[in-house]
Amino acid sequence: MSYSRTGSGSSTTSLLRKASFYGSEDRVIIEIGTLLTKLGYSGELNPRHILKTPDLSTLDSIYQFIKFIHQILIVNDERTRKVIFVESVHLNLIDKRNWLDALLLKFNFNSVSFIPSCNLALMVFAQPNGLIIDIGFNETIVIPVFDNRPLYNYYTSVPNAGKHITQRLKTLLIHAKIVTDITDSGISTTTEFLDTLSDWDIEKIKVQIALAALTVPNIQPDSSHYTLIKDVYFRINSKSMLKIPGWIREACVETLFEKTIEDISIQSAILNCLVKCPIDIRNEMVQNSVLIGGSSMIPGLGPRLQYQLMSDSDKIPKYQILNRLSPRIKFLKSIFQPNLICYVGASLLGSAKLSVHGEVKAANYTEQSIIPDWTINVDAVEQ
């Protein structure tokens, strides 16, 4: 099994912990995302490696992946090594058991701590309360955290996410019949050209050119459409360059704010979550909102989302109970990129060398198959 590497952490932070490189104090951090996986050690501000997430649906595939982690992270003395696993909302007990079996029984790590990504995000801001808005690849997840406890009862989600922006971008490029500057390739039309690109190529184009308009744009896909957004050229390779009009750059992002067949959008998912929350914690939520996930890095997304939230809370009757709160909406800012917030939180937690809720030690796991579960009010469940 092979894994492709898409990037790595900065060497600067590696120098900060050079003295302990062959020690066992630093904890291994594993963050499995829908599209990308981040790997590294606590005490570092950047992951050592960022990989395309492989298929990890079976125990054998997890074994192979952990073996690969050994190779690229040079993990030594596993019996004293501890692992921090960034837990997504959808990580079920079966998957947790597979990871525990692999890490503790097969590879003999000392312990594994499952920490919800929403908690780690707030740790970067030293906040115990807040509203986490995770705009990922497959879906957008909104979950409130109060007193360092995820409130899963009030969790909402919507399928509007990065994947849909990528699909909309490709559709618009084909529909608009963009003239492509291609030399010596034998390709004459945009459709033929785009058919030669992989989904990953389209994803790279999206990351570099997409941006959100500050208000709802009046999209008219013709030359009469006026926009302040400049056209850009995107070089695919040494022979191929694609011209992308400004209106396409903002139109592809509009899929985030459009309603699905369930009559829900990214802004209504946030407002639904706030309506579910007890009235006495809503103010804490709106003033400590955090945008995380790769798709939240789109320029202009934060201000546009604030505009949509204020607009919907004024116009839609069921959200008008929030119209006094909507002007107070504040997205916390960080020096770290939104797609690294959870990793940095795990790094900070590991550096503190604290015993945390959700930690499963190898000695206890062999005697009792106890799996931590943040969705219930007890420390763990036995299966």
Side-chain angles (χ1 to χ4, degrees):
M1 183 181 296
S2 61
Y3 304 95
S4 58
R5 306 184 187 184
T6 61
S8 60
S10 169
S11 59
T12 304
T13 53
S14 300
L15 294 175
L16 297 177
R17 57 177 298 281
K18 185 176 180 181
S20 61
F21 181 80
Y22 293 103
S24 59
E25 292 184 357
D26 300 316
R27 302 189 183 190
V28 176
I29 299 174
I30 302 175
E31 182 183 353
I32 308 291
T34 303
L35 189 64
L36 298 174
T37 291
K38 304 176 185 69
L39 305 168
Y41 287 103
S42 60
E44 299 182 341
L45 300 182
N46 293 297
R48 285 292 185 90
H49 300 278
I50 302 177
L51 320 168
K52 291 183 183 179
T53 300
D55 179 15
L56 298 171
S57 57
T58 65
L59 187 58
D60 183 64
S61 62
I62 293 175
Y63 286 163
Q64 295 298 324
F65 186 63
I66 297 175
K67 185 177 180 180
F68 177 72
I69 293 175
H70 267 258
Q71 296 173 353
I72 64 174
L73 290 184
I74 319 177
V75 179
N76 59 341
D77 196 12
E78 296 89 346
R79 293 184 183 277
T80 59
R81 282 283 184 189
K82 297 183 177 182
V83 176
I84 295 179
F85 195 102
V86 181
E87 179 183 336
S88 69
V89 171
H90 298 303
L91 185 66
N92 56 52
L93 293 178
I94 296 175
D95 290 337
K96 282 185 182 180
R97 173 176 286 282
N98 287 340
W99 280 102
L100 288 171
D101 288 347
L103 290 167
L104 299 181
L105 303 183
K106 178 75 173 180
F107 290 90
N108 300 314
F109 280 88
N110 180 275
S111 71
V112 179
S113 299
F114 289 97
I115 311 297
S117 57
C118 50
N119 285 42
L120 294 172
L122 285 174
M123 185 169 293
V124 174
F125 303 95
Q127 291 287 347
N129 312 318
L131 185 70
I132 305 302
I133 305 163
D134 185 354
I135 310 176
F137 185 68
N138 280 340
E139 65 178 340
T140 295
I141 295 171
V142 185
I143 183 167
V145 178
F146 189 77
D147 195 22
N148 292 313
R149 187 82 185 184
L151 304 179
Y152 288 108
N153 289 342
Y154 311 134
Y155 147 90
T156 60
S157 67
V158 62
N160 298 7
K163 177 175 66 175
H164 303 84
I165 300 176
T166 304
Q167 294 170 348
R168 176 69 62 84
L169 174 61
K170 186 172 183 178
T171 301
L172 290 172
L173 290 173
I174 294 175
H175 177 72
K177 299 180 180 178
I178 303 305
V179 177
T180 308
D181 182 12
I182 306 173
T183 58
D184 302 327
S185 64
I187 301 175
S188 58
T189 67
T190 305
T191 303
E192 291 180 10
F193 174 67
L194 292 174
D195 286 341
T196 65
L197 302 180
S198 66
D199 291 341
W200 187 250
D201 290 327
I202 301 295
E203 182 70 20
K204 289 190 291 185
I205 295 174
K206 180 200 74 175
V207 168
Q208 297 191 39
I209 65 95
L211 49 82
L214 293 180
T215 58
V216 181
N218 181 21
I219 301 300
Q220 298 176 10
D222 54 41
S223 58
S224 66
H225 175 73
Y226 175 76
T227 178
L228 295 175
I229 308 302
K230 294 182 178 180
D231 300 350
V232 295
Y233 284 90
F234 185 87
R235 181 170 293 280
I236 304 298
N237 51 48
S238 60
K239 296 181 179 181
S240 306
M241 183 176 290
L242 189 65
K243 180 183 178 181
I244 304 176
W247 70 266
I248 286 184
R249 297 177 63 192
E250 61 181 6
C252 65
V253 181
E254 288 305 301
T255 185
L256 287 181
F257 308 103
E258 296 170 357
K259 291 185 177 181
T260 64
I261 57 175
E262 290 87 9
D263 196 33
I264 187 172
S265 60
I266 185 172
Q267 62 269 24
S268 60
I270 297 171
L271 294 172
N272 285 338
C273 181
L274 290 173
V275 169
K276 291 179 182 179
C277 289
I279 191 171
D280 56 338
I281 71 169
R282 288 175 185 168
N283 190 58
E284 288 269 6
M285 297 299 106
V286 298
Q287 293 191 345
N288 295 295
S289 299
V290 180
L291 287 172
I292 63 173
S295 298
S296 66
M297 298 174 64
I298 294 174
L301 184 62
R304 172 60 184 282
L305 193 52
Q306 285 180 312
Y307 167 81
Q308 292 289 161
L309 291 170
M310 288 189 291
S311 176
D312 284 12
S313 63
D314 285 336
K315 296 177 181 178
I316 302 176
K318 66 178 180 179
Y319 300 137
Q320 288 179 352
I321 58 174
L322 302 172
N323 59 5
R324 292 186 179 181
L325 286 176
S326 58
R328 304 179 193 173
I329 294 172
K330 177 184 176 183
F331 295 116
L332 300 181
K333 302 295 183 182
S334 170
I335 61 172
F336 306 107
Q337 295 181 344
N339 63 333
L340 295 180
I341 289 289
C342 295
Y343 181 90
V344 173
S347 181
L348 291 172
L349 180 65
S351 299
K353 307 293 190 298
L354 300 175
S355 178
V356 295
H357 171 85
E359 183 177 22
V360 181
K361 296 185 177 181
N364 296 336
Y365 186 69
T366 54
E367 298 173 1
Q368 302 175 349
S369 296
I370 296 180
I371 304 174
D373 187 1
W374 287 80
T375 64
I376 56 179
N377 293 324
V378 294
D379 288 345
V381 295
E382 185 173 347
Q383 294 204 346

